[in-house]
Amino acid sequence: MRIYIQPGKYVAGPHVFRNRLVRAIAKYSDNTVVSDESEKFDIELGFIKFSKKHKHPKVLRLDGCYYDKNRLKLNNGLKKSIKQANNVICQSHFSKKMCEEIMKVQLDWASVIYNGIDPDDIASVQPIPSIPEGSFVSCSVWRPNKRPLSIIKGFLESTTSAHLYMIGDNLSGIKETRVHCMGPMSWEQSISVMKSCKYMIHLCHIDSCPNAVVEGLSCGLNVLCTNLGGTPELVKNDGVVLKVDKWNYTPVKSMEFDNLNAKVIAEGISDLKKITSTPVRDDLHIKYTVQNYINVMEKVCLNQKYQ
């Protein structure tokens, strides 16, 4: 099967996962990815949107949807893509329900496939010896809904004497000896930090299937997260889920959610440190992600053939 995937640039998560999946399809399947739509292909795998019109079947990979009132109109493009698709892949069960409720679309026929990562890539990266044992890490593009200040305040409220490494941009003015703002880092640098730590904190208000958490779990980190989004579906028993958020799937007025109770986070950190097992997450191996994607696309192609 020849799969057309647009080579254009996306932002953040979709860009990271698209490139990761393209490499993994070549490594873990007998299928071919083409990036030039003038070439022969059997099916298009679209990330958020599709290319120009063609007669081949289409599978859409959704990256959630816009759920704040100021950006709801941007969902019109997503709804257009859904109507064009022969099948839709959502990143989590939460993300599927969110898209159904916010965009008022029916996705009971859609597939849910979690993101994955190649453990060979993780194994190729070395940890950083200078990072103290038992450290915490948090990684994101630091917007208010990612809650960087809540993470830092909760960490400092806790009784731990460990260090916290904050990877990502948009952080400034933090002057705490045990909180290290690392700034933007390459993927290899981020994995080096993760492999040197023991715990991850990911308190985003809503994340469909955060690549950072997939990476953290695959590096053997126990994760502290919040109860909304697809993150709890990833973490399972390898962390602590804080029940701090409520949402009835209606559009929110603002994305300013960086105001969690520091004591609640501190208690979560204490509970996190009580976990004695180290995550071994073979289920997040990207070869399984690839196989699930291939299964969906093969089924779509077969159905189209006999229509």
Side-chain angles (χ1 to χ4, degrees), residues 11-26:
V11 296
H15 175 77
V16 170
F17 180 73
R18 189 273 310 271
N19 293 346
R20 191 170 289 173
L21 185 68
V22 168
R23 293 193 301 270
I25 288 173

Side-chain angles (χ1 to χ4, degrees), residues 1-3 21-33 286-295 297-298:
M1 184 168 55
R2 293 174 65 84
I3 307 162
L21 185 68
V22 168
R23 293 193 301 270
I25 288 173
K27 182 176 180 179
Y28 293 109
S29 80
D30 297 325
N31 302 280
T32 302
V33 173
I286 201 166
K287 68 180 180 181
Y288 300 120
T289 307
V290 166
Q291 189 56 59
N292 288 329
Y293 269 72
I294 296 299
N295 289 345
M297 288 186 282
E298 286 182 342

Side-chain angles (χ1 to χ4, degrees), residues 140-242:
S140 186
V141 177
W142 294 114
R143 298 184 290 267
N145 63 314
K146 301 291 185 177
R147 294 168 162 164
L149 298 181
S150 294
I151 291 172
I152 293 171
K153 290 178 181 178
F155 178 80
L156 295 174
E157 180 75 19
S158 72
T159 58
T160 181
S161 59
H163 289 244
L164 169 63
Y165 293 83
M166 301 284 289
I167 301 173
D169 57 2
N170 298 332
L171 280 184
S172 61
I174 308 298
K175 297 180 180 179
E176 297 288 345
T177 57
R178 292 190 297 112
V179 177
H180 309 273
C181 297
M182 311 296 286
M185 304 183 81
S186 68
W187 181 83
E188 289 80 5
Q189 290 171 326
S190 297
I191 295 298
S192 289
V193 175
M194 290 184 194
K195 291 184 72 171
S196 308
C197 293
K198 174 66 177 173
Y199 309 102
M200 170 173 275
I201 304 177
H202 190 85
L203 304 184
C204 181
H205 176 244
I206 290 177
D207 242 337
S208 289
C209 186
N211 288 308
V213 173
V214 172
E215 293 164 356
L217 290 166
S218 300
C219 286
L221 305 182
N222 294 108
V223 179
L224 178 68
C225 69
T226 49
N227 56 302
L228 281 186
T231 310
E233 296 177 39
L234 295 175
V235 173
K236 298 181 179 178
N237 296 321
D238 290 319
V240 173
V241 179
L242 297 178

Side-chain angles (χ1 to χ4, degrees), residues 51-304:
S51 64
K52 297 178 182 178
K53 291 182 179 180
H54 56 74
K55 296 181 180 180
H56 301 290
K58 301 175 180 179
V59 171
L60 177 69
R61 189 264 194 180
L62 276 178
D63 191 58
C65 66
Y66 298 96
Y67 59 93
D68 56 306
K69 292 183 178 180
N70 291 333
R71 297 187 297 170
L72 287 178
K73 289 183 178 180
L74 296 178
N75 287 327
N76 292 335
L78 298 179
K79 288 189 280 188
K80 180 180 178 181
S81 295
I82 291 171
K83 289 180 179 179
Q84 295 174 340
N86 298 97
N87 204 313
V88 172
I89 294 174
C90 298
Q91 300 177 74
S92 62
H93 294 282
F94 177 94
S95 185
K96 178 172 175 285
K97 181 174 176 60
M98 177 176 68
C99 290
E100 289 175 329
E101 297 292 336
I102 293 293
M103 295 194 290
K104 306 302 179 185
V105 296
Q106 188 175 359
L107 292 176
D108 53 356
W109 50 281
S111 304
V112 173
I113 305 175
Y114 299 119
N115 296 351
I117 194 167
D118 195 329
D120 290 345
D121 291 341
I122 291 177
S124 69
V125 178
Q126 297 301 312
I128 302 172
S130 60
I131 291 181
E133 185 177 348
S135 291
F136 291 70
V137 63
S138 195
C139 181
S140 186
V141 177
W142 294 114
R143 298 184 290 267
N145 63 314
K146 301 291 185 177
R147 294 168 162 164
L149 298 181
S150 294
I151 291 172
I152 293 171
K153 290 178 181 178
F155 178 80
L156 295 174
E157 180 75 19
S158 72
T159 58
T160 181
S161 59
H163 289 244
L164 169 63
Y165 293 83
M166 301 284 289
I167 301 173
D169 57 2
N170 298 332
L171 280 184
S172 61
I174 308 298
K175 297 180 180 179
E176 297 288 345
T177 57
R178 292 190 297 112
V179 177
H180 309 273
C181 297
M182 311 296 286
M185 304 183 81
S186 68
W187 181 83
E188 289 80 5
Q189 290 171 326
S190 297
I191 295 298
S192 289
V193 175
M194 290 184 194
K195 291 184 72 171
S196 308
C197 293
K198 174 66 177 173
Y199 309 102
M200 170 173 275
I201 304 177
H202 190 85
L203 304 184
C204 181
H205 176 244
I206 290 177
D207 242 337
S208 289
C209 186
N211 288 308
V213 173
V214 172
E215 293 164 356
L217 290 166
S218 300
C219 286
L221 305 182
N222 294 108
V223 179
L224 178 68
C225 69
T226 49
N227 56 302
L228 281 186
T231 310
E233 296 177 39
L234 295 175
V235 173
K236 298 181 179 178
N237 296 321
D238 290 319
V240 173
V241 179
L242 297 178
K243 297 180 180 180
V244 293
D245 288 314
K246 294 181 180 180
W247 190 42
N248 60 358
Y249 294 96
T250 58
V252 300
K253 294 181 180 180
S254 170
M255 299 292 284
E256 300 288 333
F257 293 105
D258 198 359
N259 58 354
L260 292 181
N261 188 309
K263 290 184 177 180
V264 173
I265 298 171
E267 291 172 0
I269 289 173
S270 178
D271 292 337
L272 188 69
K273 293 185 68 176
K274 294 175 184 176
I275 299 176
T276 57
S277 60
T278 298
V280 179
R281 297 301 299 271
D282 296 335
D283 60 310
L284 296 177
H285 195 310
I286 201 166
K287 68 180 180 181
Y288 300 120
T289 307
V290 166
Q291 189 56 59
N292 288 329
Y293 269 72
I294 296 299
N295 289 345
V296 169
M297 288 186 282
E298 286 182 342
K299 184 177 180 180
V300 167
C301 286
L302 187 63
N303 288 342
Q304 289 293 108

